Amino acid sequence: MALAGTPSELLHQAERFIDNKSINEGIDLLNVVVSMSVVEGELREEYVKVKELAILKLGATLAKHGFVEDLGELIQQTRAMINLFSKAKAAKLIRELVDLYLDVHKTTGHEVELCEACIKWAQDENRVFLRQALQSRLVAVYVDSVQYTAALSIAAPLLKELKKIDDKALLVEVQLLESRAYQKLGNITRSRASLTSAKTTANGIYCPPKLQASLDLQSGVLHGEEKDFKTGYSYFYEAFESLESIDSPKAVLALKYMLLCKIMLNTPEDVHSIITGKLALKYAGPQIEAMQSIAKASEHRSVAEFKKTIKELTEFITGDPVVKAHLDSLYDTLLEQNLLRIIEPYSCVEIDHVAKIIELPLDQVEKKLSQMILDKSLNGILDQGRGVLIVFEDTAVDQTYTTSLDTISSMGKVVDGLYSRALQLQ
């Protein structure tokens, strides 16, 4: 590899290597540029500028091709030479590199360690704004790694700081993360309050499409928690359009939630028309195919098909807690509807016979029937000695008593009215 030339020429040569798919050669050359000493004098500014560009290009390339460990080393190397740059550029460099590291879809187990090391370094260097930005990323790491209590313990003091200095952009991010943490912990009231605060703050600033999409996604998730899937679908659609406009890989998540809403609204036939739409076609993949299979099972009202689909595609369905929670609810509803349909012609039926028809284990069917009887969605009794379900006929409720009470109440009002008028005449 030829290494002759100025840092600027070497940088252009590295970019050509990367453009021509010679990734390793390009990375090696970028490492050379990053490691070069900065000369003093007239060329100093040019060297510093080229070094900054080389660091960003190297970070983006390592992130794109999944070299996470090398990216972690680059962050440490950059911290060591940070005095070459102005405070603003130094903060931008470190934050962009940390963002790249955390956004790579490969986990190393060192994400928290890296964030904490960078935060400590920022504190030692007295870089307040950088420290706050890094703390917000640490909160995001904790939320993504299911450490919600740890996330909230950092978010609470950080929010107080951000409100004092009025950093609205970062404030929105942290409030949104706080909303996600509370929602995962099951505290929907606090989650909705945090999301409302985030939206109110966002109204006073320019909100980038990625952040706006995150707000819409969280709104849709919370509406789903409240079973308002129609409004949830609208929010997911807005999020999908925003993410699609910036070509974000998270667009497929919004699309998946849109399909989930259609399934939960009992309109699974709409799933096919959405998937074959112009915008959604390029996101075809295992996640979308999994939702399509669920929609077909829901449309056929088949518990066996539904359960088989979930078992075969468990990685793409139950791996997402939002999808899993709603599909568990859908499964219960579907199972109940099927059991009622099977039981309907009988006044007494063997539980074993019901289990064979619905193709589920006997103990599971028995448990569900017991639950339905307790919930009063089924009027009957289980005779476990004989292994049968006895279904009672629905008797018409005699309305005479209720009608009599209504009549007496109305007569009382008339008498009270006549008495009031009589007093006025006196």
Side-chain angles (χ1 to χ4, degrees):
M1 186 190 296
L3 296 178
T6 64
S8 181
E9 289 170 347
L10 292 174
L11 176 60
H12 290 312
Q13 192 176 342
E15 288 174 340
R16 284 196 296 274
F17 273 128
I18 292 167
D19 290 341
N20 293 327
K21 309 298 181 186
S22 301
I23 307 301
N24 290 329
E25 289 84 348
I27 288 173
D28 290 341
L29 201 48
L30 285 170
N31 274 316
V32 170
V33 178
V34 170
S35 303
M36 288 179 77
S37 301
V38 175
V39 298
E40 296 299 329
E42 294 180 3
L43 295 174
R44 187 179 191 283
E45 278 192 31
E46 183 188 338
Y47 270 60
V48 171
K49 179 67 178 174
V50 171
K51 191 180 279 282
E52 180 193 346
L53 293 172
I55 289 169
L56 290 172
K57 182 67 179 178
L58 180 57
T61 306
L62 291 172
K64 184 178 179 182
H65 297 281
F67 299 116
V68 191
E69 290 82 3
D70 294 337
L71 185 53
E73 289 175 12
L74 176 64
I75 294 170
Q76 292 181 352
Q77 188 181 352
T78 305
R79 287 204 324 245
M81 63 176 79
I82 210 71
N83 290 330
L84 293 171
F85 309 102
S86 66
K87 276 202 168 187
K89 282 187 179 177
K92 180 187 173 188
L93 265 177
I94 294 296
R95 184 173 182 187
E96 284 197 25
L97 289 175
V98 171
D99 284 349
L100 287 168
Y101 184 91
L102 297 177
D103 287 341
V104 176
H105 297 294
K106 282 173 75 175
T107 54
T108 62
H110 300 296
E111 288 81 8
V112 172
E113 186 184 325
L114 178 106
C115 284
E116 287 177 341
C118 289
I119 289 167
K120 187 178 183 306
W121 172 82
Q123 285 174 330
D124 294 341
E125 293 285 319
N126 199 27
R127 297 173 187 266
V128 178
F129 295 110
L130 176 59
R131 190 256 304 161
Q132 290 170 340
L134 292 170
Q135 280 184 318
S136 77
R137 287 314 312 254
L138 181 57
V139 173
V141 170
Y142 277 136
V143 171
D144 291 337
S145 58
V146 201
Q147 299 180 58
Y148 306 122
T149 308
L152 291 172
S153 66
I154 296 173
L158 182 58
L159 283 170
K160 289 180 182 177
E161 279 187 60
L162 294 173
K163 285 173 184 175
K164 284 179 184 176
I165 63 172
D166 203 30
D167 187 347
K168 289 185 177 178
L170 197 56
L171 185 60
V172 173
E173 289 181 28
V174 180
Q175 285 171 330
L176 177 59
L177 289 167
E178 186 184 47
S179 174
R180 285 179 58 199
Y182 277 125
Q183 179 251 320
K184 298 292 185 183
L185 288 170
N187 193 337
I188 302 301
T189 305
R190 291 290 294 273
S191 177
R192 184 162 288 286
S194 297
L195 181 62
T196 303
S197 299
K199 286 183 172 181
T200 304
T201 309
N203 285 337
I205 59 168
Y206 166 71
C207 204
K210 188 177 179 181
L211 183 57
Q212 184 60 55
S214 297
L215 290 169
D216 288 334
L217 268 176
Q218 183 62 10
S219 297
V221 169
L222 288 180
H223 278 288
E225 292 279 355
E226 296 167 356
K227 309 300 179 189
D228 184 4
F229 294 106
K230 192 171 183 181
T231 308
Y233 177 84
S234 302
Y235 277 113
F236 290 138
Y237 184 76
E238 292 291 333
F240 174 69
E241 285 197 321
S242 297
L243 292 167
E244 205 277 333
S245 68
I246 57 172
D247 204 24
S248 170
K250 280 193 172 182
V252 71
L253 183 66
L255 179 59
K256 183 168 73 171
Y257 289 165
M258 285 167 58
L259 302 179
L260 176 66
C261 285
K262 285 296 181 184
I263 293 168
M264 296 306 294
L265 283 167
N266 202 23
T267 55
E269 61 278 0
D270 291 347
V271 169
H272 180 70
S273 58
I274 293 171
I275 291 171
T276 53
K278 186 179 177 182
L279 288 177
L281 272 174
K282 70 176 182 179
Y283 297 102
Q287 292 194 67
I288 303 305
E289 287 170 11
M291 296 309 295
Q292 191 173 18
S293 299
I294 288 291
K296 284 179 181 175
S298 177
E299 193 171 1
H300 297 156
R301 301 282 178 193
S302 169
V303 174
E305 188 180 340
F306 188 91
K307 199 169 181 180
K308 183 184 174 185
T309 301
I310 289 179
K311 188 176 179 180
E312 289 176 352
L313 302 168
T314 185
E315 181 186 347
F316 308 107
I317 296 172
T318 57
D320 187 327
V322 174
V323 174
K324 185 180 183 303
H326 291 306
L327 289 186
D328 285 347
S329 170
L330 178 64
Y331 176 75
D332 279 344
T333 305
L334 204 58
L335 178 57
E336 193 170 310
Q337 288 174 350
N338 273 260
L339 285 172
L340 288 171
R341 179 172 53 81
I342 293 166
I343 293 163
E344 190 177 8
Y346 302 101
S347 58
C348 182
V349 60
E350 290 183 354
I351 303 168
D352 184 58
H353 177 65
V354 176
K356 283 176 183 175
I357 293 174
I358 206 166
E359 297 178 29
L360 287 175
L362 177 63
D363 59 336
Q364 190 177 335
V365 172
E366 194 172 302
K367 185 179 177 182
K368 185 61 184 175
L369 289 171
S370 301
Q371 184 189 328
M372 289 167 66
I373 292 168
L374 290 171
D375 292 341
K376 296 185 179 179
S377 57
L378 173 62
N379 187 16
I381 189 170
L382 285 172
D383 186 341
Q384 290 179 313
R386 293 163 56 199
V388 296
L389 168 72
I390 301 167
V391 183
F392 301 140
E393 288 186 15
D394 291 328
T395 53
V397 180
D398 191 351
Q399 297 293 327
T400 306
Y401 180 71
T402 308
T403 307
S404 301
L405 286 176
D406 290 341
T407 304
I408 292 167
S409 176
S410 299
M411 287 178 66
K413 289 177 183 177
V414 172
V415 171
D416 289 343
L418 291 171
Y419 181 70
S420 299
R421 290 192 179 188
L423 287 175
Q424 287 173 5
L425 290 173
Q426 288 177 1

